[in-house]
Amino acid sequence: MRHGLVVASACSVVVGGLAGAPALVGLGTGVAPASAGARNSHILVYAQEWSLYSSRATVPAGTVGVELWNRGEDPHDLRVRRIRDGRLSGPVDGAVGLTQSGGLTRATWRLAPGRYQLYCALPQHRSRGMRIILLVR
Ligand SMILES: [Cu+2]
């Protein structure tokens, strides 16, 4: 399954010990990228009231496996949109669905090079600080 490859191939974040997190142990064993030129990457984003933290500030363009871990008390989600001229621009380029407190939700995004904002799309969450920059190169 493509998603499994993405999550396992370039993950440098230890998440196997998280309470309630799906076990990732063994997913990467013997699995090679689909093509030698493929550049898959992975980020883990922590959400809590009212901030986001990402395991990486920069990822290579292409397929990005994303995990949203909600360490807060309220539900949160995640969106990614380009920033042009200092403002959000164009459509939402990727999303992670609503994640309850303590939950971990995965998604796979395809991102072109550029400057992006990751943010929680729930009302007032972005304006309260749940937003960070992600550079794609
Ligand atoms: Cu939120």
Side-chain angles (χ1 to χ4, degrees), residues 39-108:
R39 292 194 305 165
N40 295 331
S41 59
H42 172 246
I43 57 172
L44 174 62
V45 179
Y46 310 97
Q48 62 188 46
E49 301 83 27
W50 303 102
S51 54
L52 294 175
Y53 301 91
S54 174
S55 61
R56 296 180 187 213
T58 302
V59 296
T63 301
V64 182
V66 182
E67 291 181 355
L68 175 64
W69 180 25
N70 184 356
R71 300 194 302 184
E73 297 180 348
D74 299 333
H76 297 291
D77 66 12
L78 194 64
R79 299 285 186 274
V80 60
R81 273 181 80 187
R82 262 182 193 279
I83 298 175
R84 287 195 180 93
D85 299 324
R87 4 176 53 184
L88 293 176
S89 170
V92 172
D93 292 291
V96 177
L98 193 68
T99 302
Q100 300 299 323
S101 175
L104 182 79
T105 305
R106 299 181 198 176
T108 301

